[in-house]
Amino acid sequence: MASKNSKDDLRQQIKTPDSKRQYRKKKKYSDSSDSSDSEDNYNTRSRHDKEREAERKEEMRKTQTGITQRRLFSEEQCEEIERKIDEVVKISNRGVYKEHTVDRAPLRNKYFFGEGYTYGSQLEKKGPGMERLYPKGEVDEVPKWIFDLVVKPIVKAGLVPEGFVNSAVINDYMPGGCIVSHIDPPHIFDRPIVSVSFFSDSALSFGCKFSFRPIRTSEPVLVLPIDRGCVTLISGYAADNITHCIRPQDVVKRRAVIILRKTCDDAPRLDPVASSRVRPAYDARKRPRDRSSAHSSSESHSSDSDSGHHSHRRRKRTRHSYPDTSSRFLYDRREENGHSHRHKSKRSHHTRRHRSESPKHRGGSNSRSKREVKIVENV
């Protein structure tokens, strides 16, 4: 029996070193394999990074060949032009300009003079090449001060020929304002595209992409500093083959730019009927969807009577939110059906107490019906 145990112990001692040795060999082989793979991946990534870097440098070089900059306007000239831009803003706020002259957006307003065109969400058919000029006379003429104070010095400097400019746009940015990456439509505008910057310094970015909510941008191929009073011309590759934009982080103070362009003789135009249906780009993005197909026939009257308003059922209710009292249909339907509980919101005890203590609700139950009748009469 003892000899059997000693044999087993000896067998176990002999077996263990072999298994460990085999394990070590396997591990060593596996480590060398992983090391080889990681080295290959590193070399591949490094090669791709170098190729991308070389492509970016080449794209930057091509972009720079299409850019011309000149500091042309003095401090005094800038101040005079900036006073004129402020006058344009005041005239716009009084509602004097034609409908398609002004396009308002958060932190950025556009003022079209001479020629205006549809873009972005205004387009019936989306995509490059779908932009159209408005019919003649649907935007205000280029103000005389733009020709006298801005265009003449540029022509005198030999940057554009006499009579080149027939379209002027003023972009007025508040801090944090931006304009997304785009290419000025080549079938609408001749080259070069001329811009003059006022109020503060900024930068023009080429070849970056925008993402939204919140706004973020990818790394640009080129960031071009633009100083106050500086004239910038883009043509060739910079105008036709790569996008440009104004990023929010590059507008730290109010900044305005006057863009001077020449429209192509064969540029397509909207017909007057189609032009009358075009809304400003920001308003077009905010246009409510047609929800009639989503409603049943019993609720179709609600969507008709409340056109232009959001339905009270879609409002996000908070702790202190109240029912929508802007719709006449809400009260008519309560009286017809005789069950006002359908429109009551779920309020906490604190909210009910808050409403009962409000001066409008101290009159008891009768005050509520009087308030409802008054709203119906004013609609």
Side-chain angles (χ1 to χ4, degrees):
M1 189 73 179
S3 62
K4 185 177 182 181
N5 289 338
S6 62
K7 287 182 180 180
D8 291 341
D9 292 341
L10 181 61
R11 191 180 296 113
Q12 185 67 24
Q13 291 176 6
I14 295 172
K15 185 177 180 181
T16 302
D18 290 343
S19 61
K20 286 184 178 179
R21 194 179 302 113
Q22 290 174 4
Y23 174 76
R24 282 197 298 270
K25 286 182 179 179
K26 273 188 179 180
K27 186 175 181 182
K28 186 175 181 182
Y29 176 80
S30 176
D31 288 345
S32 63
S33 173
D34 292 345
S35 175
S36 176
D37 290 344
S38 62
E39 187 176 350
D40 290 342
N41 291 336
Y42 174 78
N43 292 334
T44 302
R45 286 197 301 269
S46 178
R47 186 170 63 252
H48 287 320
D49 290 342
K50 289 179 180 178
E51 290 175 356
R52 283 197 297 267
E53 185 64 24
E55 290 174 359
R56 286 180 66 85
K57 287 183 177 179
E58 178 63 16
E59 194 169 25
M60 181 189 299
R61 186 193 64 79
K62 291 179 181 178
T63 303
Q64 289 173 333
T65 60
I67 297 173
T68 301
Q69 279 191 310
R70 184 86 60 86
R71 178 61 188 265
L72 203 60
F73 295 90
S74 66
E75 180 75 19
E76 293 75 16
Q77 289 173 315
C78 287
E79 290 177 355
E80 185 178 5
I81 294 169
E82 288 162 2
R83 285 194 293 270
K84 294 294 185 180
I85 294 174
D86 285 336
E87 290 179 9
V88 169
V89 175
K90 291 178 182 178
I91 294 171
S92 170
N93 291 338
R94 294 200 302 266
V96 175
Y97 289 131
K98 297 177 181 179
E99 179 185 2
H100 296 307
T101 296
V102 184
D103 179 24
R104 301 185 186 278
L107 303 180
R108 191 273 296 148
N109 292 335
K110 293 176 77 76
Y111 305 93
F112 293 95
F113 296 107
E115 295 283 4
Y117 70 103
T118 59
Y119 66 97
S121 56
Q122 296 173 317
L123 303 177
E124 292 185 359
K125 296 181 180 179
K126 308 299 180 186
M130 294 294 106
E131 298 88 355
R132 296 290 184 269
L133 289 173
Y134 288 116
K136 281 285 188 181
E138 293 212 358
V139 301
D140 289 83
E141 293 297 323
V142 179
K144 185 176 182 299
W145 67 264
I146 290 183
F147 283 117
D148 293 341
L149 302 179
V150 185
V151 177
K152 280 185 179 179
I154 295 174
V155 172
K156 188 176 180 181
L159 297 177
V160 296
E162 182 76 34
F164 178 80
V165 175
N166 66 351
S167 169
V169 178
I170 299 176
N171 283 347
D172 191 5
Y173 299 93
M174 294 298 106
C178 65
I179 188 165
V180 298
S181 297
H182 67 283
I183 291 176
D184 293 45
H187 66 289
I188 298 288
F189 297 111
D190 201 351
R191 276 31 177 172
I193 308 297
V194 185
S195 63
V196 193
S197 190
F198 296 101
F199 288 108
S200 66
D201 300 341
S202 185
L204 189 64
S205 296
F206 291 85
C208 65
K209 297 178 181 179
F210 270 67
S211 60
F212 301 91
R213 298 181 183 178
I215 293 178
R216 294 177 181 173
T217 60
S218 63
E219 182 183 357
V221 172
L222 174 66
V223 177
L224 181 70
I226 300 178
D227 298 333
R228 177 178 176 231
C230 178
V231 180
T232 303
L233 291 82
I234 62 172
S235 59
Y237 192 93
D240 299 331
N241 299 97
I242 190 170
T243 61
H244 59 272
C245 69
I246 301 292
R247 300 180 300 174
Q249 59 265 40
D250 294 327
V251 184
V252 295
K253 296 180 181 178
R254 182 193 176 189
R255 184 237 178 185
V257 59
I258 300 178
I259 305 171
L260 306 171
R261 294 178 286 204
K262 173 180 171 58
T263 57
C264 300
D265 296 334
D266 58 349
R269 291 185 182 272
L270 290 173
D271 61 81
V273 175
S275 175
S276 64
R277 296 196 298 265
V278 176
R279 304 176 65 181
Y282 182 69
D283 290 345
R285 289 194 293 272
K286 303 296 284 186
R287 184 181 299 171
R289 296 178 180 177
D290 182 12
R291 298 165 57 231
S292 58
S293 60
H295 290 286
S296 63
S297 58
S298 62
E299 293 181 337
S300 60
H301 176 64
S302 172
S303 61
D304 293 337
S305 61
D306 293 338
S307 61
H309 299 281
H310 296 290
S311 171
H312 65 279
R313 286 183 296 276
R314 296 182 63 190
R315 292 183 64 187
K316 182 179 178 181
R317 297 197 179 276
T318 59
R319 188 180 182 190
H320 295 283
S321 62
Y322 305 122
D324 185 359
T325 57
S326 62
S327 172
R328 178 174 182 174
F329 169 71
L330 172 63
Y331 299 104
D332 292 345
R333 188 169 181 180
R334 284 180 179 179
E335 294 174 1
E336 289 175 4
N337 298 338
H339 43 261
S340 60
H341 65 276
R342 292 181 60 184
H343 299 277
K344 288 182 179 179
S345 62
K346 295 179 181 179
R347 305 185 191 93
S348 65
H349 172 72
H350 174 77
T351 306
R352 290 195 294 270
R353 184 180 64 185
H354 176 75
R355 285 176 58 83
S356 64
E357 292 176 359
S358 174
K360 291 184 179 180
H361 301 282
R362 286 175 183 167
S365 60
N366 292 333
S367 64
R368 182 179 179 183
S369 61
K370 289 178 183 178
R371 182 166 56 86
E372 292 174 357
V373 172
K374 184 178 180 181
I375 293 173
V376 170
E377 290 174 354
N378 290 337
V379 172

mmCIF file of all heavy atoms in Angstrom, residues 17 153 172 320 356:
data_model
loop_
_atom_site.group_PDB
_atom_site.id
_atom_site.type_symbol
_atom_site.label_atom_id
_atom_site.label_comp_id
_atom_site.label_asym_id
_atom_site.label_seq_id
_atom_site.Cartn_x
_atom_site.Cartn_y
_atom_site.Cartn_z
ATOM 1 N N PRO A 17 5.478 19.339 -13.293
ATOM 2 C CA PRO A 17 6.418 20.191 -14.034
ATOM 3 C C PRO A 17 6.152 20.228 -15.524
ATOM 4 O O PRO A 17 6.286 21.265 -16.172
ATOM 5 C CB PRO A 17 7.770 19.560 -13.727
ATOM 6 C CG PRO A 17 7.582 18.830 -12.449
ATOM 7 C CD PRO A 17 6.174 18.327 -12.490
ATOM 8 N N PRO A 153 -14.290 101.631 -52.289
ATOM 9 C CA PRO A 153 -12.896 101.357 -51.889
ATOM 10 C C PRO A 153 -12.379 100.002 -52.379
ATOM 11 O O PRO A 153 -11.197 99.866 -52.706
ATOM 12 C CB PRO A 153 -12.956 101.401 -50.362
ATOM 13 C CG PRO A 153 -14.137 102.251 -50.050
ATOM 14 C CD PRO A 153 -15.126 101.956 -51.125
ATOM 15 N N ASP A 172 -25.731 89.904 -39.251
ATOM 16 C CA ASP A 172 -25.508 90.536 -37.951
ATOM 17 C C ASP A 172 -25.542 89.451 -36.872
ATOM 18 O O ASP A 172 -26.599 88.867 -36.603
ATOM 19 C CB ASP A 172 -26.592 91.590 -37.695
ATOM 20 C CG ASP A 172 -26.286 92.465 -36.490
ATOM 21 O OD1 ASP A 172 -25.192 92.322 -35.913
ATOM 22 O OD2 ASP A 172 -27.146 93.288 -36.121
ATOM 23 N N HIS A 320 -46.215 73.297 -11.415
ATOM 24 C CA HIS A 320 -47.070 74.463 -11.287
ATOM 25 C C HIS A 320 -47.756 74.821 -12.606
ATOM 26 O O HIS A 320 -48.114 75.958 -12.824
ATOM 27 C CB HIS A 320 -46.238 75.665 -10.818
ATOM 28 C CG HIS A 320 -45.684 75.488 -9.449
ATOM 29 N ND1 HIS A 320 -46.431 75.642 -8.316
ATOM 30 C CD2 HIS A 320 -44.441 75.130 -9.028
ATOM 31 C CE1 HIS A 320 -45.677 75.418 -7.244
ATOM 32 N NE2 HIS A 320 -44.466 75.108 -7.648
ATOM 33 N N SER A 356 -55.676 78.437 -5.243
ATOM 34 C CA SER A 356 -56.772 78.956 -4.422
ATOM 35 C C SER A 356 -56.394 80.259 -3.743
ATOM 36 O O SER A 356 -57.252 81.095 -3.469
ATOM 37 C CB SER A 356 -57.174 77.912 -3.380
ATOM 38 O OG SER A 356 -56.100 77.686 -2.476
#
